[in-house]
């Protein structure tokens, strides 16, 4: 799977966003080291703290099915009904990713047409991990 295809998978996952409160739709696509794809969207709740982001939806789907080794993540987001814009993972998602992914784990942000590649270490420097125990 190419980086552009992974971004397109995140864009497609964005269509399933349940975001009646923020009207901000996010999709994420996570590919495992074995090449399996897991996608997610943000899922909001009337009780706001019960909301979950697209990135954690994809990650938890994968982990709940036994996956532990990941190759790359793509995130696409923006206001409902508009072309996606640059959307960066929130701090909670960065921390959740750091549980399973090393600092050099690539994260693609932007749109399928134009995206940038970051590392998880750039997005979450000095993260708290199991090595801190
Ligand atoms: Zn998040």
């Amino acid at each position: 799977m190419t980086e552009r295809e992974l971004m397109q998978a995140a864009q497609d996952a964005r269509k399933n966003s349940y975001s009646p409160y923020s009207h901000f739709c996010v999709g994420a696509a996570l590919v495992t080291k074995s090449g399996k794809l897991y996608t997610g969207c943000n899922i909001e709740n009337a009780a706001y703290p019960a909301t979950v982001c697209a990135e954690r939806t994809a990650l938890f789907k994968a982990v709940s099915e036994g996956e532990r080794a990941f190759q790359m993540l793509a995130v696409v987001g923006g206001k409902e009904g508009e072309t996606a814009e640059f959307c960066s993972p929130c701090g909670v998602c960065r921390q959740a990713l750091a549980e399973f992914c090393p600092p050099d784990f690539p994260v693609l942000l932007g749109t399928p047409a134009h995206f940038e590649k970051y590392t998880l270490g750039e997005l979450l420097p000095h993260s708290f991990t199991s090595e801190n125990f």
Side-chain angles (χ1 to χ4, degrees):
M1 173 170 278
T2 67
E3 293 178 353
R4 189 169 301 276
E5 288 169 337
L6 191 62
M7 288 298 290
Q8 186 60 52
Q11 173 84 318
D12 293 344
R14 185 177 173 233
K15 293 172 188 162
N16 293 325
S17 169
Y18 178 76
S19 46
Y21 307 105
S22 74
H23 303 286
F24 194 87
C25 307
V26 184
L30 179 67
V31 64
T32 66
K33 284 197 171 168
S34 64
K36 198 167 176 187
L37 178 68
Y38 291 87
T39 61
C41 62
N42 57 328
I43 305 168
E44 295 184 346
N45 193 284
Y48 289 3
T51 294
V52 67
C53 302
E55 299 91 323
R56 276 178 289 142
T57 300
L59 177 65
F60 293 166
K61 280 169 69 176
V63 171
S64 71
E65 294 188 22
E67 301 289 350
R68 296 292 186 273
F70 302 102
Q71 190 179 132
M72 191 177 302
L73 173 72
V75 182
V76 176
K79 293 179 189 133
E80 185 176 26
E82 294 182 13
T83 303
E85 52 199 53
F86 184 86
C87 178
S88 185
C90 78
V92 174
C93 286
R94 294 174 195 203
Q95 182 62 46
L97 288 164
E99 183 69 23
F100 299 98
C101 306
D104 65 349
F105 177 75
V107 180
L108 308 177
L109 304 175
T111 68
H114 179 39
F115 56 88
E116 302 284 338
K117 187 192 284 189
Y118 298 88
T119 66
L120 183 58
E122 289 173 323
L123 299 174
L124 186 67
H126 312 293
S127 62
F128 187 84
T129 67
S130 59
E131 293 177 14
N132 295 107
F133 283 91

